[in-house]
Amino acid sequence: MRLSGKNLSNYQKTLLALAAIGALGALVWLRAPLVYEAHTTLLIVPGQSPAPFDTTARVEMVRQVVLSDKHLEGVIDQFHLYPNLAGHSTKDEILARLRESIRIEASPAAQPRVVRIAFLHRDPAVAAKVANRLAALMVQEDNGLRDQQAESSTGFLDARVDLVHKMLMEAEDRLRNAKGAPAAEIAVASRELDVLTHNFTKLLDMKMDADMAAARAKDRGESFMILDPARIPEKPVSRVLRAGLD
């Protein structure tokens, strides 16, 4: 089939338009800011006596406390994160953005047993500082956990039940406030609520066994130790096409 001059002209125009769109997309991509990810690793050091609950549950409990509103608001203030979101985003939206940039993964069954923490940011130095701060908070909260166990397992669990219950209420509020938000944001809020509900139920079960575990908890149990502090990343992991990572 032969194209007439008019059809050929239209065909050429279409090609030029597609080429222009592709060039514009490439330009937007190239001008998008780079994102860096800093990593730090915690070693789970075995204790002298069995813990009153398994390592996976312990790591998850400490992680939930570190990712609570109180601690994350402190991190935002300390490192002046997300100034471009202030004034036109809610506190919950800013906290959600921070949580999206944090990754805390445990491998308690591996040898050695470790917890890996990662943080994404456009400034590599800030990425490293925040990752190290999160690691310090994990150690701090775990130390608090062990110290309270040594004093009184029952008293510790009472305090944790209250704390996780408060976090559960906050998560329920976030899910209610997410109505009308994008499906992905609602899904994240729903998953967080499911995890907190599961942890709260486990805490209530642990409380029933606290008296039996109190004697074993007198010795310092397993602990977290910073094995590999975060360093300033040299290479970016991606580019970001939305605001909010600075």
Side-chain angles (χ1 to χ4, degrees):
M1 177 179 177
R2 298 181 62 184
L3 296 174
S4 67
K6 182 178 180 180
N7 288 336
L8 182 60
S9 176
N10 290 337
Y11 179 69
Q12 291 172 331
K13 288 178 181 179
T14 301
L15 288 179
L16 288 173
L18 291 174
I21 292 172
L24 179 61
L27 180 61
V28 170
W29 173 252
L30 290 173
R31 295 186 63 180
L34 298 170
V35 180
Y36 296 83
E37 186 174 59
H39 303 262
T40 183
T41 303
L42 301 179
L43 178 66
I44 303 175
V45 181
Q48 298 179 351
S49 60
F53 39 86
D54 64 75
T55 300
T56 300
R58 183 192 196 92
V59 171
E60 181 59 25
M61 285 167 43
V62 174
R63 189 185 78 89
Q64 288 289 344
V65 175
V66 169
L67 296 181
S68 66
D69 290 2
K70 176 183 176 181
H71 277 315
L72 293 188
E73 286 173 9
V75 171
I76 290 173
D77 291 341
Q78 180 178 356
F79 298 103
H80 310 291
L81 301 178
Y82 315 126
N84 60 323
L85 295 182
H88 59 85
S89 295
T90 66
K91 181 187 76 172
D92 286 344
E93 289 171 340
I94 296 174
L95 289 171
R97 183 61 56 84
L98 176 55
R99 289 188 180 95
E100 289 174 3
S101 301
I102 296 172
R103 183 160 47 86
I104 300 177
E105 299 175 341
S107 56
Q111 293 297 332
R113 300 183 303 165
V114 297
V115 179
R116 293 183 174 86
I117 301 170
F119 181 68
L120 288 168
H121 198 271
R122 289 168 54 175
D123 185 330
V126 171
K129 290 177 182 177
V130 173
N132 284 326
R133 177 55 182 156
L134 294 171
L137 286 172
M138 289 285 290
V139 173
Q140 172 187 312
E141 288 300 327
D142 181 65
N143 286 339
L145 171 64
R146 290 186 294 104
D147 290 342
Q148 290 184 61
Q149 285 175 348
E151 294 172 4
S152 171
S153 294
T154 303
F156 155 73
L157 287 173
D158 285 339
R160 290 292 161 172
V161 165
D162 291 341
L163 175 61
V164 175
H165 181 261
K166 180 181 178 182
M167 294 167 59
L168 189 59
M169 296 300 100
E170 293 173 349
E172 288 179 347
D173 288 340
R174 282 194 289 273
L175 184 58
R176 280 194 295 269
N177 294 334
K179 288 183 178 179
E185 184 176 333
I186 294 176
V188 169
S190 179
R191 284 196 297 272
E192 180 186 9
L193 181 60
D194 289 342
V195 170
L196 282 169
T197 301
H198 175 73
N199 289 340
F200 185 67
T201 302
K202 290 193 73 170
L203 274 172
L204 293 178
D205 292 338
M206 292 171 191
K207 198 174 169 187
M208 296 176 62
D209 299 328
D211 289 340
M212 296 176 60
R216 296 194 300 269
K218 289 182 179 180
D219 295 330
R220 294 179 71 85
E222 64 184 16
S223 60
F224 296 164
M225 180 182 73
I226 297 178
L227 179 65
D228 185 20
R231 299 173 180 81
I232 297 176
E234 297 180 356
K235 296 181 180 180
V237 294
S238 66
R239 294 181 184 272
V240 62
L241 297 177
R242 67 175 181 177
L245 281 177
D246 56 356

